[in-house]
Amino acid sequence: MSKETVLKLLQANNGRFVSGEGISAELGITRAAVWKAVSALRRDGYDIDARKSQGYRLMDAPDRLTETEIRACLSPTKLVGRKLCCFESVDSTNSYLKRAASEGVVDGTVAVANEQTGGRGRRGRDFLSPPGKGIYLSALLRPPVEPTRLLPVTGFAAVAVCNAIERVALVRPRIKWANDLVLGGRKLCGILTELSMEGESGALQYAIIGIGVNVAQTEGDFPPELSDVATSLLEQTGKSVSRAALAAAMIEELDALYMALLRHKMQPYLDAYRGDCLTIGQEVQLLWEDVHERVRAVGVDDDLGLQVVRQNGAEETIRTGEVSVRGLYGYVE
Ligand code: BTN
């Protein structure tokens, strides 16, 4: 407890010295307890300068996804992130929020993990979630809307994550329809949205938007089957980003998205999606059960359905989940 409170105080002083006496008076703990907390923080990887006459100052922080680190970067939000549950390791942040939702946790609760031991992807696939390499983040929303209004929410969440990555890493990924984020032609981030509906009325109980971003993987970190398909921010930009700063930006952007959804102001997200989606204008392969078909993607409708022109000239709109859309050669090309 004192460790986290001492850290918050050092963070609030932005690299300036705070005297041991001042810390002990402000937190109501002994000087020995201050020293113990500083030693524990150093063991956790914090670089804390200690000088006899001046006290302590925080020089550098490790790349941790703790509540203290994320909150230090987080601007006030309306709903998303007002409750934040951070884990060193968890089975899946989506599964955690499902359990928490059944216990009545508040609208906007966010779960973030440094590692997932049972990360889940779309179509029942696993989502590899090694420790210290990515951000595994889920948000629980309870909007008072018809479930059908949430059809495009995963795509809009993809726009929100593009915004967050652009703010923190200064590169804007593109979106491969329906909602994979792509950088340098490879997958950077996947999103899995799960809805819970009341059996009898069909009313929406909650939605969980789960986002996995590859941040710090290098070539050897991906298994052979993903090495041609997946990438990370580090691999693409050559620069390390603070996972806490990126997680905070994601929470802020998801909060802005949630407010837009509640206020029925989705046009900016729709416009951004159309601008970010690299599938539009491409020849792609549809994979429908066992049938491959080559079509031209020409646009997305207001629910983010993919509008395609088939070989026989017929126009059709494809809904996510119905088919898999592939590039003709690699992951996107
Ligand atoms: C996909 O690309 O198939 C979707 C991947 C979604 C992964 C995220 S990581 C956070 C959240 N928890 C999970 O178990 N899955 C999502």
PDB file of all heavy atoms in Angstrom, residues 92-94 116 118-122 127 136-138 180 187 190-192 210-212, ligand 1:
ATOM      1  N   SER A  92      -8.198 -14.347 -19.300  1.00  0.00           N
ATOM      2  CA  SER A  92      -8.563 -13.494 -20.435  1.00  0.00           C
ATOM      3  C   SER A  92      -9.279 -12.278 -19.849  1.00  0.00           C
ATOM      4  O   SER A  92     -10.140 -12.444 -18.965  1.00  0.00           O
ATOM      5  CB  SER A  92      -9.484 -14.276 -21.382  1.00  0.00           C
ATOM      6  OG  SER A  92     -10.463 -13.445 -21.964  1.00  0.00           O
ATOM      7  N   THR A  93      -8.940 -11.089 -20.315  1.00  0.00           N
ATOM      8  CA  THR A  93      -9.599  -9.891 -19.758  1.00  0.00           C
ATOM      9  C   THR A  93     -11.079  -9.880 -20.138  1.00  0.00           C
ATOM     10  O   THR A  93     -11.911  -9.388 -19.373  1.00  0.00           O
ATOM     11  CB  THR A  93      -8.899  -8.597 -20.246  1.00  0.00           C
ATOM     12  OG1 THR A  93      -8.756  -8.664 -21.674  1.00  0.00           O
ATOM     13  CG2 THR A  93      -7.537  -8.421 -19.598  1.00  0.00           C
ATOM     14  N   ASN A  94     -11.443 -10.444 -21.317  1.00  0.00           N
ATOM     15  CA  ASN A  94     -12.866 -10.553 -21.662  1.00  0.00           C
ATOM     16  C   ASN A  94     -13.573 -11.490 -20.680  1.00  0.00           C
ATOM     17  O   ASN A  94     -14.654 -11.174 -20.177  1.00  0.00           O
ATOM     18  CB  ASN A  94     -13.038 -11.106 -23.084  1.00  0.00           C
ATOM     19  CG  ASN A  94     -13.073 -10.017 -24.143  1.00  0.00           C
ATOM     20  OD1 ASN A  94     -12.441  -8.978 -23.980  1.00  0.00           O
ATOM     21  ND2 ASN A  94     -13.796 -10.248 -25.217  1.00  0.00           N
ATOM     22  N   GLN A 116      -1.993 -12.841 -20.741  1.00  0.00           N
ATOM     23  CA  GLN A 116      -3.203 -13.667 -20.672  1.00  0.00           C
ATOM     24  C   GLN A 116      -2.788 -15.120 -20.881  1.00  0.00           C
ATOM     25  O   GLN A 116      -2.015 -15.425 -21.800  1.00  0.00           O
ATOM     26  CB  GLN A 116      -4.194 -13.276 -21.759  1.00  0.00           C
ATOM     27  CG  GLN A 116      -4.769 -11.876 -21.599  1.00  0.00           C
ATOM     28  CD  GLN A 116      -5.838 -11.574 -22.639  1.00  0.00           C
ATOM     29  OE1 GLN A 116      -6.966 -11.273 -22.313  1.00  0.00           O
ATOM     30  NE2 GLN A 116      -5.477 -11.665 -23.913  1.00  0.00           N
ATOM     31  N   GLY A 118      -5.140 -17.464 -21.306  1.00  0.00           N
ATOM     32  CA  GLY A 118      -6.159 -18.074 -22.174  1.00  0.00           C
ATOM     33  C   GLY A 118      -6.783 -17.002 -23.054  1.00  0.00           C
ATOM     34  O   GLY A 118      -8.016 -16.936 -23.148  1.00  0.00           O
ATOM     35  N   GLY A 119      -5.940 -16.178 -23.673  1.00  0.00           N
ATOM     36  CA  GLY A 119      -6.441 -15.093 -24.520  1.00  0.00           C
ATOM     37  C   GLY A 119      -7.280 -15.669 -25.657  1.00  0.00           C
ATOM     38  O   GLY A 119      -6.906 -16.674 -26.262  1.00  0.00           O
ATOM     39  N   ARG A 120      -8.406 -15.033 -25.945  1.00  0.00           N
ATOM     40  CA  ARG A 120      -9.326 -15.559 -26.963  1.00  0.00           C
ATOM     41  C   ARG A 120      -9.438 -14.612 -28.151  1.00  0.00           C
ATOM     42  O   ARG A 120      -9.476 -13.399 -27.982  1.00  0.00           O
ATOM     43  CB  ARG A 120     -10.711 -15.778 -26.345  1.00  0.00           C
ATOM     44  CG  ARG A 120     -10.698 -16.867 -25.279  1.00  0.00           C
ATOM     45  CD  ARG A 120     -12.076 -17.218 -24.772  1.00  0.00           C
ATOM     46  NE  ARG A 120     -12.651 -16.198 -23.914  1.00  0.00           N
ATOM     47  CZ  ARG A 120     -13.645 -15.399 -24.263  1.00  0.00           C
ATOM     48  NH1 ARG A 120     -14.173 -15.473 -25.472  1.00  0.00           N
ATOM     49  NH2 ARG A 120     -14.121 -14.508 -23.415  1.00  0.00           N
ATOM     50  N   GLY A 121      -9.479 -15.199 -29.345  1.00  0.00           N
ATOM     51  CA  GLY A 121      -9.653 -14.411 -30.559  1.00  0.00           C
ATOM     52  C   GLY A 121     -10.995 -14.730 -31.198  1.00  0.00           C
ATOM     53  O   GLY A 121     -11.796 -15.482 -30.634  1.00  0.00           O
ATOM     54  N   ARG A 122     -11.244 -14.161 -32.390  1.00  0.00           N
ATOM     55  CA  ARG A 122     -12.494 -14.447 -33.084  1.00  0.00           C
ATOM     56  C   ARG A 122     -12.485 -15.874 -33.631  1.00  0.00           C
ATOM     57  O   ARG A 122     -11.430 -16.490 -33.749  1.00  0.00           O
ATOM     58  CB  ARG A 122     -12.690 -13.445 -34.230  1.00  0.00           C
ATOM     59  CG  ARG A 122     -13.304 -12.141 -33.706  1.00  0.00           C
ATOM     60  CD  ARG A 122     -13.367 -11.091 -34.772  1.00  0.00           C
ATOM     61  NE  ARG A 122     -12.031 -10.618 -35.084  1.00  0.00           N
ATOM     62  CZ  ARG A 122     -11.540 -10.543 -36.322  1.00  0.00           C
ATOM     63  NH1 ARG A 122     -12.256 -10.901 -37.359  1.00  0.00           N
ATOM     64  NH2 ARG A 122     -10.325 -10.098 -36.526  1.00  0.00           N
ATOM     65  N   PHE A 127      -5.681 -16.263 -28.710  1.00  0.00           N
ATOM     66  CA  PHE A 127      -4.942 -15.026 -28.988  1.00  0.00           C
ATOM     67  C   PHE A 127      -3.700 -15.038 -28.105  1.00  0.00           C
ATOM     68  O   PHE A 127      -3.793 -14.963 -26.883  1.00  0.00           O
ATOM     69  CB  PHE A 127      -5.800 -13.785 -28.715  1.00  0.00           C
ATOM     70  CG  PHE A 127      -5.118 -12.499 -29.117  1.00  0.00           C
ATOM     71  CD1 PHE A 127      -5.104 -12.095 -30.447  1.00  0.00           C
ATOM     72  CD2 PHE A 127      -4.474 -11.708 -28.178  1.00  0.00           C
ATOM     73  CE1 PHE A 127      -4.460 -10.922 -30.834  1.00  0.00           C
ATOM     74  CE2 PHE A 127      -3.831 -10.528 -28.555  1.00  0.00           C
ATOM     75  CZ  PHE A 127      -3.832 -10.135 -29.885  1.00  0.00           C
ATOM     76  N   TYR A 136      -3.349  -6.092 -23.338  1.00  0.00           N
ATOM     77  CA  TYR A 136      -4.553  -6.908 -23.423  1.00  0.00           C
ATOM     78  C   TYR A 136      -5.583  -6.172 -22.580  1.00  0.00           C
ATOM     79  O   TYR A 136      -5.455  -6.121 -21.348  1.00  0.00           O
ATOM     80  CB  TYR A 136      -4.266  -8.338 -22.932  1.00  0.00           C
ATOM     81  CG  TYR A 136      -2.928  -8.827 -23.467  1.00  0.00           C
ATOM     82  CD1 TYR A 136      -1.832  -9.043 -22.631  1.00  0.00           C
ATOM     83  CD2 TYR A 136      -2.741  -8.975 -24.849  1.00  0.00           C
ATOM     84  CE1 TYR A 136      -0.597  -9.419 -23.127  1.00  0.00           C
ATOM     85  CE2 TYR A 136      -1.497  -9.338 -25.367  1.00  0.00           C
ATOM     86  CZ  TYR A 136      -0.431  -9.564 -24.500  1.00  0.00           C
ATOM     87  OH  TYR A 136       0.803  -9.902 -25.005  1.00  0.00           O
ATOM     88  N   LEU A 137      -6.557  -5.548 -23.236  1.00  0.00           N
ATOM     89  CA  LEU A 137      -7.440  -4.602 -22.550  1.00  0.00           C
ATOM     90  C   LEU A 137      -8.885  -4.828 -22.976  1.00  0.00           C
ATOM     91  O   LEU A 137      -9.161  -4.964 -24.166  1.00  0.00           O
ATOM     92  CB  LEU A 137      -6.976  -3.186 -22.914  1.00  0.00           C
ATOM     93  CG  LEU A 137      -7.703  -1.992 -22.305  1.00  0.00           C
ATOM     94  CD1 LEU A 137      -6.739  -0.804 -22.150  1.00  0.00           C
ATOM     95  CD2 LEU A 137      -8.910  -1.567 -23.107  1.00  0.00           C
ATOM     96  N   SER A 138      -9.783  -4.876 -22.009  1.00  0.00           N
ATOM     97  CA  SER A 138     -11.205  -5.026 -22.327  1.00  0.00           C
ATOM     98  C   SER A 138     -12.007  -3.978 -21.582  1.00  0.00           C
ATOM     99  O   SER A 138     -11.659  -3.598 -20.466  1.00  0.00           O
ATOM    100  CB  SER A 138     -11.719  -6.409 -21.910  1.00  0.00           C
ATOM    101  OG  SER A 138     -10.967  -7.428 -22.523  1.00  0.00           O
ATOM    102  N   ASP A 180      -9.334  -5.725 -38.030  1.00  0.00           N
ATOM    103  CA  ASP A 180      -7.928  -5.937 -37.648  1.00  0.00           C
ATOM    104  C   ASP A 180      -7.148  -4.662 -37.926  1.00  0.00           C
ATOM    105  O   ASP A 180      -7.303  -4.069 -39.003  1.00  0.00           O
ATOM    106  CB  ASP A 180      -7.295  -7.042 -38.504  1.00  0.00           C
ATOM    107  CG  ASP A 180      -7.690  -8.438 -38.045  1.00  0.00           C
ATOM    108  OD1 ASP A 180      -8.308  -8.568 -36.973  1.00  0.00           O
ATOM    109  OD2 ASP A 180      -7.381  -9.397 -38.781  1.00  0.00           O
ATOM    110  N   LYS A 187      -0.589  -7.819 -39.209  1.00  0.00           N
ATOM    111  CA  LYS A 187      -1.577  -7.553 -38.159  1.00  0.00           C
ATOM    112  C   LYS A 187      -0.898  -7.063 -36.875  1.00  0.00           C
ATOM    113  O   LYS A 187      -0.009  -7.707 -36.340  1.00  0.00           O
ATOM    114  CB  LYS A 187      -2.378  -8.835 -37.882  1.00  0.00           C
ATOM    115  CG  LYS A 187      -3.399  -8.684 -36.764  1.00  0.00           C
ATOM    116  CD  LYS A 187      -4.401  -9.834 -36.793  1.00  0.00           C
ATOM    117  CE  LYS A 187      -5.236  -9.883 -35.531  1.00  0.00           C
ATOM    118  NZ  LYS A 187      -6.326 -10.856 -35.616  1.00  0.00           N
ATOM    119  N   GLY A 190      -5.889  -7.081 -32.718  1.00  0.00           N
ATOM    120  CA  GLY A 190      -7.164  -7.742 -32.993  1.00  0.00           C
ATOM    121  C   GLY A 190      -8.184  -7.331 -31.941  1.00  0.00           C
ATOM    122  O   GLY A 190      -7.818  -6.985 -30.813  1.00  0.00           O
ATOM    123  N   ILE A 191      -9.448  -7.375 -32.323  1.00  0.00           N
ATOM    124  CA  ILE A 191     -10.512  -6.945 -31.405  1.00  0.00           C
ATOM    125  C   ILE A 191     -11.608  -8.004 -31.379  1.00  0.00           C
ATOM    126  O   ILE A 191     -12.033  -8.495 -32.429  1.00  0.00           O
ATOM    127  CB  ILE A 191     -11.122  -5.588 -31.844  1.00  0.00           C
ATOM    128  CG1 ILE A 191      -9.996  -4.551 -32.031  1.00  0.00           C
ATOM    129  CG2 ILE A 191     -12.142  -5.084 -30.823  1.00  0.00           C
ATOM    130  CD1 ILE A 191     -10.474  -3.181 -32.478  1.00  0.00           C
ATOM    131  N   LEU A 192     -12.037  -8.353 -30.192  1.00  0.00           N
ATOM    132  CA  LEU A 192     -13.118  -9.329 -30.026  1.00  0.00           C
ATOM    133  C   LEU A 192     -14.209  -8.693 -29.163  1.00  0.00           C
ATOM    134  O   LEU A 192     -13.966  -8.360 -28.006  1.00  0.00           O
ATOM    135  CB  LEU A 192     -12.578 -10.581 -29.311  1.00  0.00           C
ATOM    136  CG  LEU A 192     -13.610 -11.633 -28.896  1.00  0.00           C
ATOM    137  CD1 LEU A 192     -14.209 -12.319 -30.125  1.00  0.00           C
ATOM    138  CD2 LEU A 192     -12.985 -12.679 -27.973  1.00  0.00           C
ATOM    139  N   GLY A 210     -12.874  -6.336 -26.369  1.00  0.00           N
ATOM    140  CA  GLY A 210     -11.542  -6.786 -25.946  1.00  0.00           C
ATOM    141  C   GLY A 210     -10.527  -6.513 -27.037  1.00  0.00           C
ATOM    142  O   GLY A 210     -10.730  -6.874 -28.203  1.00  0.00           O
ATOM    143  N   ILE A 211      -9.430  -5.878 -26.665  1.00  0.00           N
ATOM    144  CA  ILE A 211      -8.436  -5.415 -27.649  1.00  0.00           C
ATOM    145  C   ILE A 211      -7.055  -5.958 -27.285  1.00  0.00           C
ATOM    146  O   ILE A 211      -6.622  -5.821 -26.137  1.00  0.00           O
ATOM    147  CB  ILE A 211      -8.382  -3.871 -27.643  1.00  0.00           C
ATOM    148  CG1 ILE A 211      -9.772  -3.287 -27.934  1.00  0.00           C
ATOM    149  CG2 ILE A 211      -7.360  -3.352 -28.659  1.00  0.00           C
ATOM    150  CD1 ILE A 211      -9.931  -1.854 -27.490  1.00  0.00           C
ATOM    151  N   GLY A 212      -6.383  -6.549 -28.247  1.00  0.00           N
ATOM    152  CA  GLY A 212      -5.008  -7.007 -28.018  1.00  0.00           C
ATOM    153  C   GLY A 212      -4.077  -6.291 -28.990  1.00  0.00           C
ATOM    154  O   GLY A 212      -4.247  -6.415 -30.203  1.00  0.00           O
TER     155      GLY A 212
HETATM  156  C1  BTN B   1      -8.813 -11.542 -33.051  1.00  0.00           C
HETATM  157  O1  BTN B   1      -8.007 -10.916 -33.752  1.00  0.00           O
HETATM  158  O2  BTN B   1      -9.171 -12.671 -33.347  1.00  0.00           O
HETATM  159  C2  BTN B   1      -9.338 -10.883 -31.806  1.00  0.00           C
HETATM  160  C3  BTN B   1      -8.316 -10.864 -30.706  1.00  0.00           C
HETATM  161  C4  BTN B   1      -8.799 -10.195 -29.430  1.00  0.00           C
HETATM  162  C5  BTN B   1      -7.798 -10.304 -28.316  1.00  0.00           C
HETATM  163  C6  BTN B   1      -8.187  -9.493 -27.111  1.00  0.00           C
HETATM  164  S1  BTN B   1      -6.860  -9.363 -25.954  1.00  0.00           S
HETATM  165  C7  BTN B   1      -7.937  -8.683 -24.781  1.00  0.00           C
HETATM  166  C8  BTN B   1      -9.227  -9.469 -24.871  1.00  0.00           C
HETATM  167  N1  BTN B   1      -9.175 -10.677 -24.103  1.00  0.00           N
HETATM  168  C9  BTN B   1      -9.255 -11.784 -24.851  1.00  0.00           C
HETATM  169  O3  BTN B   1      -9.224 -12.949 -24.421  1.00  0.00           O
HETATM  170  N2  BTN B   1      -9.364 -11.436 -26.136  1.00  0.00           N
HETATM  171  C10 BTN B   1      -9.366 -10.000 -26.309  1.00  0.00           C
END
